[in-house]
Amino acid sequence: NAGVTQTPKFRILKIGQSMTLQCTQDMNHNYMYWYRQDPGMGLKLIYYSVGAGITDKGEVPNGYNVSRSTTEDFPLRLELAAPSQTSVYFCASSMRPGGGGKGTQYFGPGTRLLVL
Amino acid sequence: KNQVEQSPQSLIILEGKNCTLQCNYTVSPFSNLRWYKQDTGRGPVSLTIMTFSENTKSNGRYTATLDADTKQSSLHITASQLSDSASYICVVTPTLNTDKLIFGTGTRLQVFP
């Protein structure tokens, strides 16, 4: 199993550009998440999905969009990139909500995004 | 407000020494608490998980403790190795079936030879 994979690893965007961060998991997990991690801050939940076709907002959804057409893929779309979106983005998946009970969330390696 | 606070922010120790990282939380209700290890440039990886009824959980040289009454947890690392250099993140789950976890800001540990 590859687990959770993310592409690209690093990207530089100009203000106003758009891009899609890709996330794929091969563990057949229903639950998938997008987080952002800023220096000195805890991970913040952007969007999450409880299954194909179902998504919901997290703590910091403004400026982002998601879709979940398959169990495996959960892309994150940035429209009109802004410097405030400079961050490291992590995708995660789990068998149960939030990892649930004694389970855990499995994280991808992250995408480092710089908006100039 | 649900919060998870970790201390110290950063820590430097010599290889072979022990260390203890702290996590205080104000999350209520409380379902479980996890410790994650995050290597530089990588995603977090789960080390331990404890429910509210568990006091301690070990994973090799890592031992986590939990005091649900005082809302404190600690992660003890024994006989540190260079590979222990990483950030350690405390994560609290408010209720059992929630997707919204509360993440601490992490402790950055550096182990020098």
Side-chain angles (χ1 to χ4, degrees), chain B residues 9-22:
Chain B
Q9 280 188 324
S10 62
L11 182 62
I12 297 175
I13 62 173
L14 293 176
E15 186 179 14
K17 299 296 185 182
N18 304 335
C19 68
T20 300
L21 314 181
Q22 300 291 342

Side-chain angles (χ1 to χ4, degrees), chain B residues 17-72:
Chain B
K17 299 296 185 182
N18 304 335
C19 68
T20 300
L21 314 181
Q22 300 291 342
C23 173
N24 295 337
Y25 61 93
T26 59
V27 180
S28 183
F30 166 81
S31 176
N32 61 50
L33 184 147
R34 298 181 177 93
W35 283 93
Y36 281 87
K37 179 186 180 187
Q38 184 177 19
D39 292 317
T40 301
R42 310 291 290 271
V45 175
S46 181
L47 286 175
T48 64
I49 178 170
M50 293 176 289
T51 64
F52 63 89
S53 60
E54 295 177 294
N55 300 119
T56 185
K57 185 66 67 75
S58 291
N59 179 356
R61 294 179 296 101
Y62 300 100
T63 300
T65 63
L66 173 64
D67 186 333
D69 291 332
T70 62
K71 298 187 176 181
Q72 296 179 325

Side-chain angles (χ1 to χ4, degrees), chain B residues 58-100:
Chain B
S58 291
N59 179 356
R61 294 179 296 101
Y62 300 100
T63 300
T65 63
L66 173 64
D67 186 333
D69 291 332
T70 62
K71 298 187 176 181
Q72 296 179 325
S73 176
S74 64
L75 180 69
H76 185 75
I77 304 175
T78 303
S80 61
Q81 300 176 358
L82 298 179
S83 59
D84 293 329
S85 295
S87 288
Y88 292 85
I89 303 172
C90 176
V91 184
V92 176
T93 302
T95 57
L96 184 56
N97 288 317
T98 181
D99 294 285
K100 299 177 181 179

Side-chain angles (χ1 to χ4, degrees), chain A residues 10 48-51 68 70 83 103:
Chain A
F10 177 69
Y48 65 99
S49 169
V50 301
R68 184 95 181 271
T70 67

Side-chain angles (χ1 to χ4, degrees), chain A residues 12 28 38 47 54-55 59 67-68 75 79 91 100 105 108 110 114:
Chain A
I12 299 175
N28 201 34
D38 300 318
Y47 270 96
I54 306 171
T55 63
E59 186 179 358
S67 60
R68 184 95 181 271
E79 305 282 2
C91 179
Q105 286 185 331
L114 179 60

Side-chain angles (χ1 to χ4, degrees), chain A residues 18 26 40 49 54 65 73 79 91 104-105 116:
Chain A
S18 61
D26 63 359
S49 169
I54 306 171
N65 278 301
D73 301 307
E79 305 282 2
C91 179
T104 189
Q105 286 185 331
L116 299 174

